[in-house]
Amino acid sequence: MNSEEFRSFAKAAVDYIADYLENIRNKEVLSSVEPGYLHQHLPQEPPQEGEPWQSLLQDVDRIIVPGLTHWHSPHFHAYYPTANSHPGIVGELLLSGLATISTDWHPDNVCVALEQKVLDWLAKLLHLPSHFLNTSPGPGGGLIQNAASDSTLIALLISKTKKTSETAPDAKLVAYTSEQSNSSVEKAGLLASTTIRLLPTDEHGALRGTTLLRAIREDIASGLTPCSVVATLGTTGTCAFDDLEEIGPICKDFGVWLHVDAAYAGAAFCCPEYLPLMKGVEFADSFCFNPHKWMLVNSDCSAMWFKDVTHAEKVFDRESSGTHFWQIPDVRRFRALKLWFVLRVYGVEGIRKHIRKQVDLAKYFEGLVRRDCRFEVCRVSLGLVCFRVKGDDRRTQDLIDRVTQRKKIFVMPYYFREKLVIRFVICSRFTEETDVLVAWEEIKSQVEHNLDG
Ligand code: PLP
């Protein structure tokens, strides 16, 4: 492919993306293809001769898109948002085109300098403590990781190395998190060969200080060495907030590393009204949130900060490999570019507007549910509403099954305090009040069926 063909191909692809996003409201959110569909459409062998680029785009339209779940449909209300924005897409395109790879953490390297700059902007936007800034006089700093899961693993590895250097080399280490934390925490425990204790939460799904303290004392009494706590701000299931004000001082007293996973909810801290939800964050040794979830930066872009990077340097700096990053891969993509684009095109006020609009839409949905006596609202937190059909769980399950089969909206089930609930999240930046109303009509129409039957 020569440069002229590349221009035509790439321009056509951008037009395709713009059309796709403009028309996404008209697509069924879930695909209707049968299992094995793709294999029927693709040859067994790779092409012998190169094909014209036009046929590739045609096949995306003909074969790929019909099999997709449309994560940016205004009717997608499952999981949490996955970010997508025009500046985010262009940033991703440019970083792919420049295809520069950073292997040097030297601040004169422009990729590194931009990353340090935008991570400082981001920390300020989120009102994080100033000790996290790359430009702070202290040893703090931040960088972009692939995912929140990587950040948790990295935090566990650092805390393990730190604790091992402070205690007997054969100490049996233990880390703590709540039973409501993301499954990536247990996975990170496996990868870091660290025992993870899942602690019970209060009635709101939050980990409390007394629970942590009891567990730490029990473990010390039985010869274990507590090394880290992974606290969550905005749990995956119900967007609950662990109590950092209680947990933080305990971690400090016992010399335990506190990592905060705010993968989804972190974005909300750009709005001053949500700052009470992260009270106690100054105790965190490391903090992570995903701009690629709720802050409009296309995946992947997960921000991580350290209060003191020297602990990370002990684990990850490998002079012999020329790598000076607190990360698992050797080299880095220039992901700061797309974060920079999003921050500049939206500005602080644009990002706040996005977050507030989505929270307002969730509140609007909550109001609709509350006005219908057949339902109960179980929890509302930021852009998430958890609700259920009153009575036996089978009613709620039946409703979820019907709605999912009809493919007009996409919601997820979750068990919270032994009850089945429906998680309804405002995910797409295209979602408007009319879409929320469409979702509510769809739910009502199917529950009526369910209760009559
Ligand atoms: N932590 C929390 C609280 C999450 O909600 C999620 C995903 O939804 C994750 C971690 C995993 O994020 P990632 O895919 O970036 O590893």
Side-chain angles (χ1 to χ4, degrees), residues 306-345:
F306 300 94
K307 190 184 265 178
D308 181 351
V309 298
T310 54
H311 302 299
E313 280 163 359
K314 284 188 191 130
V315 183
F316 291 103
D317 273 11
R318 292 284 174 265
E319 294 290 343
S320 57
S321 71
T323 312
H324 301 269
F325 297 119
W326 325 310
Q327 62 175 35
I328 293 167
D330 229 17
V331 294
R332 312 165 61 68
R333 297 169 75 226
F334 189 15
R335 290 174 293 207
L337 201 62
K338 57 186 171 178
L339 180 52
W340 188 44
F341 279 16
V342 169
L343 291 173
R344 289 185 63 186
V345 169

Side-chain angles (χ1 to χ4, degrees), residues 192-238:
S193 307
T194 303
T195 303
I196 303 278
R197 251 187 96 172
L198 298 180
L199 302 178
T201 54
D202 69 9
E203 70 275 23
H204 304 293
L207 176 62
R208 304 297 301 270
T210 44
T211 310
L212 176 65
L213 188 59
R214 198 176 316 121
I216 288 181
R217 284 190 174 140
E218 276 168 17
D219 287 344
I220 292 175
S222 51
L224 300 178
T225 304
C227 82
S228 51
V229 170
V230 179
T232 313
L233 296 181
T235 56
T236 310
T238 63

Side-chain angles (χ1 to χ4, degrees), residues 67-226:
L68 293 180
T69 296
H70 300 292
W71 284 69
H72 307 289
S73 158
H75 306 302
F76 184 103
H77 299 292
Y79 310 105
Y80 274 139
T82 189
N84 184 344
S85 68
H86 291 134
I89 297 167
V90 178
E92 183 68 34
L93 176 68
L94 266 175
L95 80 91
S96 159
L98 297 175
T100 169
I101 284 191
S102 242
T103 57
D104 186 3
W105 191 233
H106 196 279
D108 288 343
N109 172 326
V110 78
C111 304
V112 172
L114 185 67
E115 181 168 352
Q116 293 186 337
K117 174 63 80 181
V118 287
L119 263 280
D120 278 8
W121 281 5
L122 206 53
K124 288 178 184 175
L125 172 62
L126 262 54
H127 305 90
L128 291 179
S130 59
H131 56 232
F132 282 136
L133 298 183
N134 287 302
T135 47
S136 71
L143 80 166
I144 300 175
Q145 304 283 8
N146 301 319
S149 310
D150 293 40
S151 298
T152 303
L153 172 59
I154 286 164
L156 284 189
L157 291 171
I158 296 169
S159 67
K160 190 177 165 185
T161 308
K162 182 170 177 290
K163 202 42 123 183
T164 311
S165 72
E166 292 163 1
T167 54
D170 59 347
K172 291 198 176 70
L173 303 183
V174 57
Y176 306 87
T177 195
S178 94
E179 64 191 1
Q180 293 292 321
S181 68
N182 187 261
S183 58
S184 55
V185 182
E186 278 186 274
K187 208 193 304 174
L190 265 178
L191 292 169
S193 307
T194 303
T195 303
I196 303 278
R197 251 187 96 172
L198 298 180
L199 302 178
T201 54
D202 69 9
E203 70 275 23
H204 304 293
L207 176 62
R208 304 297 301 270
T210 44
T211 310
L212 176 65
L213 188 59
R214 198 176 316 121
I216 288 181
R217 284 190 174 140
E218 276 168 17
D219 287 344
I220 292 175
S222 51
L224 300 178
T225 304

